[in-house]
Structure formats: C-alpha cells, structure tokens
Amino acid sequence: MSGRNFLFVPGPTNVPDRILRAMHRAQEDHRSSAFPALAKGILADLPKIFGTAKGQAFVLPASGTAMWEASIVNALSPGDRVLAVRNGQFSHLFIDAAQRLGMQVEIIEEPWGGAVQPDRIRDALKADKAGAFKAVLVVHNETATGVTSDIAAVRAAIDGAGHGALLMVDGVSSVASLEFKLDEWGVDFAIAGSQKGFMMPAGLGILCVSPKGLATFAGSKSNRAFFDLRDHVTHNATGYFPYTPALSGLYGLRESLDMLLAEGMPNVAARHKRLGEGVRRAVAAWGLKNCCTDPCRVSDTVTAIVVPESGDAEKVRDVGFRKYNLALGAGLGPLKGKVFRIGHLGDLNELMLLGALAGTEMTLIDTGIQITRGAGVAAAQAWYQGSAK
Ligand SMILES: *Cc1c(COP(=O)(O)O)cnc(C)c1O
C-alpha cells in the first residue's frame, strides 16, 4: 500500500524523522570515556519532563510494564499491603503485577470509563489507623478508557488522611504529553516508557523517583537483580549503566528531550489539549459516546469511542486497517469489540488528525455504523481553525 500507515494507536506513536535519524547510527563502547556525556545529559534533563527538581530519573532497556515491577520491588517487600484503584485495563495490569510480586492489594473498583475518586482513597487510608498500606497505586491516564485522573487531588487525599503511604503513579501515556508535576503532586514513583509521549520506538523503561522513594530502596526485601535500582544509582552517578544500555534508544531519547524542552512542557500539554478537543468534537458530531463518563476527566492523549450495540469495534479497526491503512487502537479486556481508540499524542498536528478522522468516518460507514459523512471532520476543522494561534 502506498503512502504512510496512519498510526493512531495510543502507542507506539509516530516517531519524528529527527529521532529516527538520531537513532540510526553505529554502535559504540558504552564504557568509553566519551559515554558519560550522553548519559549524564539525559539523566539531568529527564526530571524536567516529570516536573521535578528533586527527583532522580532511571532509564532501563525495558518497557512501561517493567517500570511497574522496578517500582514495586525496589520500594516494597512481599506481603506489604498496598491500595490501588482499578478503572481500566492498565490499572488492572498494574494491580496484577503487584499481586504477582507478592503484595497484598486492596482494590478500589471504579467503573471503566470513570476516574480515580480521591475521596475513596482518603477514606480507605483514614480507616488504616495502623498505617499498614505502604503505597497507593494509580494510573494517571488510563489509556484503555481515555480518562485522566487528578493526581494533585490524590496527593491531597493522602495528606488529608494524614497517611505516609508512597504514591506510585503510572504515567506511561501522560508523561511527556500532559502536565505532570512530580514535586508538586508528591509523586514518589512515576512510571513511563519510550513509545508514547517520548515519540520513540518501544524499548526504554523510564522512571522518576522522589527522594522519599529513593530512601525506600535499602529497606525492600523483594528479590531483584536486573531491576535493582541501587546498581543504577551507583553507576549513573559516574555516567554509566550497570549493564549494556540500549544505545540507539539513548540517542533517540536525547533527541526527544531536545524537542520536548525546546517546545516547552506547558506548550506540549496545550498542544495535546487542543488536538484532543478536535477529536472529542468529531466524536460528538458523529453522535457516538466517549467511553470517559466524566467530561472534566477526558484524556488529551487518547479518546476511547463506544460503538453502538449493533456495531463491532474490532471490525471497525480491521476495515480501517485493511482498506485505508489506518491503525486505530483496540478495546482492551472487557472493552474488546465495544470501543476503539484514537491515540492523539506525540508528534502530531491538526492535518494528521483530520486525516485519521476522515478515515475513521469512512470506516464507520463501511461497517454499518450510522454517522453523517463529513460531520466529525467538519467539527474538528471548525475547532482547529477557530483555536489556531
Ligand atoms: C502502554 C501502557 C503501559 C504498558 O507499557 P508497555 O511499554 O507496553 O509495557 C502501561 N500503562 C499505561 C497507562 C500504558 O498506556
């Protein structure tokens, strides 16, 4: 098929040519005296993306999922009690990881499509007079449902309960796209990966840890080897890694950081907000439902769209892919077949999204879902034109 594949899954996202070029290079000795300049620069700049002046960043040859594990095994011990909110597939898998690693997880269930309710966290922590909960686990941006939870409010709930639990936040589809303030929100472990907001191929797990989080490493009784962040603390201090780093990924990350910091994180967030709003207006113009049930918590990086009862979201995805070379995100877990997702994060502009919306319209009509051709595109066009600087 000629032309580009229209990649609108919420990750991997489109990799800018600048990053592709930066990664396309010969390998080199990661123990040379020249290497620390690259590593130190990256580790110094990464915390800026997480909104922290005090936190420490880690980069592993891994993925977002691995950073759940790295957070849990370095901070917690088997048998520890943790409090977690489940409101979609990624929070479900975060919980699953904690359970497999031996944690006792108390789960606050929310509807899939709803946001984290800070009051419920506060109540659960208030009831925990003995301070048994060692950590609170939440997903900032639930990629399965397109819901962004309020992490500042989660911090306020923890403080309101007077509880000392760590705050572990999955920011895989928010960090580097949405506003993220590790210091201000009192986040102790912020989890990310390279293939979403960082606009890179998958392959790097990225983590940022607060001073309070760093202080937990020594006390954890969990077994760890590859994920032992103490080795990273030691080696990173000299500009090296404890084992072979994913060198091409580091060059890509250097370029990604340059791009993000040149645009400025508030501008990155504002761009995502504006682009995301166009998609939401298109969905409304189609007469379809956003999976996110709280209009104040819609995600600016991904929109999950509910197909009518008679429709099949998997068919929408397949027809879009085969007929128009358009990749839309799948419904995950119990949402399979019920929703499809449009990822709108990373290296993206208005016309790319209008192309994706046009392809989605044709696909919806092809699969028998009644919408007016052009309605969504027109609504997004009007928004993008009217809100252009
Ligand atoms: C993509 C994603 C993950 C999983 O990351 P991998 O890099 O695929 O391991 C975890 N959490 C959220 C919120 C995600 O969007």
Side-chain angles (χ1 to χ4, degrees), residues 274 278 281 354 374-388:
R274 187 164 161 271
R281 287 180 185 225
L354 287 170
V377 171
Q381 282 175 317
W383 165 251
Y384 293 143
Q385 260 187 310
S387 62

Side-chain angles (χ1 to χ4, degrees), residues 65-90:
T65 300
M67 297 302 96
W68 289 335
E69 183 153 349
S71 303
I72 291 164
V73 297
N74 282 281
L76 306 171
S77 303
D80 276 356
R81 289 188 67 200
V82 304
L83 182 66
V85 179
R86 175 157 53 198
N87 63 330
Q89 182 70 3
F90 290 99

Side-chain angles (χ1 to χ4, degrees), residues 6-10 14 270-283 286 299-303 305 326-328 341-361 376-381 383-384:
F6 258 58
L7 183 62
F8 284 86
V9 299
N14 295 284
R271 173 166 56 85
H272 282 85
K273 188 172 216 46
R274 187 164 161 271
L275 292 176
E277 178 61 20
V279 175
R280 292 189 284 274
R281 287 180 185 225
V283 173
W286 293 331
S299 166
D300 289 325
T301 58
V302 56
T303 299
I305 299 150
L326 170 67
L328 298 167
R341 297 174 298 153
I342 298 179
H344 35 88
L345 73 163
D347 185 41
L348 215 62
N349 61 25
E350 297 88 340
L351 297 192
M352 289 165 79
L353 269 172
L354 287 170
L357 293 171
T360 304
E361 286 191 349
V377 171
Q381 282 175 317
W383 165 251
Y384 293 143

Side-chain angles (χ1 to χ4, degrees), residues 22-381:
M23 294 182 71
H24 187 70
R25 53 188 299 148
Q27 295 301 294
E28 58 188 75
D29 176 16
H30 60 284
R31 304 205 192 276
S32 81
S33 56
F35 183 78
L38 173 68
K40 281 188 168 173
I42 288 171
L43 294 170
D45 282 343
L46 262 177
K48 298 174 192 165
I49 309 298
F50 288 83
T52 175
K54 300 179 286 193
Q56 182 165 349
F58 297 90
V59 181
L60 278 74
S63 80
T65 300
M67 297 302 96
W68 289 335
E69 183 153 349
S71 303
I72 291 164
V73 297
N74 282 281
L76 306 171
S77 303
D80 276 356
R81 289 188 67 200
V82 304
L83 182 66
V85 179
R86 175 157 53 198
N87 63 330
Q89 182 70 3
F90 290 99
S91 40
H92 169 67
L93 293 173
F94 195 4
I95 289 166
D96 180 56
Q99 288 171 332
R100 291 198 215 182
L101 293 164
M103 308 305 137
Q104 289 184 57
V105 188
E106 179 156 324
I107 303 169
I108 298 177
E109 301 282 0
E110 297 294 347
W112 290 33
V116 170
Q117 298 298 322
D119 288 355
R120 297 188 65 191
I121 293 178
R122 193 195 51 219
D123 293 346
L125 293 179
K126 260 194 175 160
D128 176 33
K129 299 271 184 273
F133 288 124
K134 297 292 181 245
V136 174
L137 277 50
V138 292
V139 172
H140 182 203
N141 188 76
E142 185 39 270
T143 322
T145 55
V147 175
T148 307
S149 289
D150 184 348
I151 304 301
V154 172
R155 165 47 60 197
I158 297 172
D159 292 349
H163 203 286
L166 295 164
L167 177 55
M168 293 188 176
V169 176
D170 173 336
V172 180
S173 62
S174 62
V175 170
S177 308
L178 308 182
E179 180 182 65
F180 199 96
K181 303 225 168 280
L182 186 137
D183 287 348
E184 201 180 306
W185 299 343
V187 175
D188 296 304
F189 288 79
I191 291 140
S194 53
Q195 77 277 22
K196 292 181 182 167
F198 287 99
M199 310 172 283
M200 292 175 50
L204 297 183
I206 302 170
L207 184 65
C208 202
V209 184
S210 73
K212 181 180 166 189
L214 293 168
T216 62
F217 295 177
S220 160
K221 293 187 181 63
S222 292
N223 289 329
R224 63 211 126 131
F226 180 83
F227 288 124
D228 198 330
L229 294 177
R230 291 171 297 188
D231 299 333
H232 289 260
V233 171
T234 309
H235 286 76
N236 286 173
T238 59
Y240 293 98
F241 289 92
Y243 35 77
T244 318
L247 191 72
S248 307
L250 293 181
Y251 277 106
L253 183 55
R254 179 64 269 163
E255 196 71 14
S256 166
L257 291 170
D258 289 346
M259 291 177 73
L260 289 166
L261 294 173
E263 185 175 1
M265 297 319 290
N267 295 330
V268 170
R271 173 166 56 85
H272 282 85
K273 188 172 216 46
R274 187 164 161 271
L275 292 176
E277 178 61 20
V279 175
R280 292 189 284 274
R281 287 180 185 225
V283 173
W286 293 331
L288 297 180
K289 231 173 71 192
N290 192 324
C291 180
C292 174
T293 50
D294 178 351
C296 301
R297 303 257 57 98
V298 288
S299 166
D300 289 325
T301 58
V302 56
T303 299
I305 299 150
V306 182
V307 300
E309 286 284 327
S310 57
D312 176 0
E314 278 305 287
K315 199 165 142 205
V316 172
R317 271 170 31 78
D318 191 48
V319 168
F321 183 65
R322 284 190 295 103
K323 205 165 165 189
Y324 305 113
N325 205 4
L326 170 67
L328 298 167
L332 300 176
L335 297 178
K336 188 177 164 78
K338 299 196 168 86
V339 313
F340 68 92
R341 297 174 298 153
I342 298 179
H344 35 88
L345 73 163
D347 185 41
L348 215 62
N349 61 25
E350 297 88 340
L351 297 192
M352 289 165 79
L353 269 172
L354 287 170
L357 293 171
T360 304
E361 286 191 349
M362 293 191 285
T363 306
L364 287 168
I365 294 166
D366 286 343
T367 54
I369 295 171
Q370 304 275 322
I371 61 151
T372 305
R373 182 160 46 221
V377 171
Q381 282 175 317

